[in-house]
Amino acid sequence: MLVLFALACVIKPYGPPVGVPVLTPAVVDVAPPPVEPFLSRLDTLLATTDEVDRRDRLVELRDLLVGLAGIDSKSQVRVLRYAERVLAVEERMRPFDMAESPMELAIDLAPVIEVEVGEPPASTP
């Protein structure tokens, strides 16, 4: 019984085997896109909204984007990707402007003028 117990207790070294080079993955530092276009889109949405809940969401997103300066670039890219998706949803929720409303587009159409066309002149062979 002691022999089986002694065989079961095998000591394994921690870490990579000795003499084998350790491969570390290459760290690629991705430069995040500039924050200014996101902030200008946010400011446009904030200026056009009257809903309190929507305004609160946009203000919180703006605070998140302004605070990006202190974090690493990989996290900045992830936050900016999130901000892009949120801005796309919020821009879809924007109501029609007066120039974009379907009724105003229908009113601006010019009237159709019908002209009676006579028969073509007879051609001589």
Side-chain angles (χ1 to χ4, degrees):
M1 182 80 143
L2 279 174
V3 175
L4 291 175
F5 183 70
L7 289 175
C9 295
V10 177
I11 300 174
K12 290 187 174 184
Y14 292 107
V18 180
V20 177
V22 178
L23 299 176
T24 57
V27 177
V28 178
D29 195 19
V30 178
V35 179
E36 289 78 22
F38 294 98
L39 292 176
S40 65
R41 287 170 61 190
L42 260 172
D43 291 339
T44 303
L45 286 172
L46 279 169
T48 59
T49 187
D50 293 331
E51 294 179 39
V52 176
D53 291 336
R54 186 173 185 209
R55 182 178 296 277
D56 289 344
R57 286 192 306 266
L58 294 173
V59 167
E60 290 298 322
L61 182 62
R62 190 173 204 301
D63 291 344
L64 180 65
L65 290 176
V66 169
L68 280 179
I71 63 174
D72 61 305
S73 61
K74 186 176 178 182
S75 297
Q76 285 182 10
V77 169
R78 292 182 71 191
V79 169
L80 290 175
R81 196 175 315 135
Y82 167 75
E84 177 64 37
R85 291 191 306 256
V86 169
L87 285 172
V89 169
E90 293 293 338
E91 286 172 343
R92 279 194 317 236
M93 291 176 48
R94 185 175 53 183
F96 283 114
D97 291 336
M98 290 307 290
E100 296 175 348
S101 70
M103 291 307 294
E104 188 162 322
L105 289 175
I107 292 171
D108 287 344
L109 294 176
V112 177
I113 300 173
E114 294 183 16
V115 177
E116 187 175 324
V117 177
E119 297 206 16
S123 61
T124 56

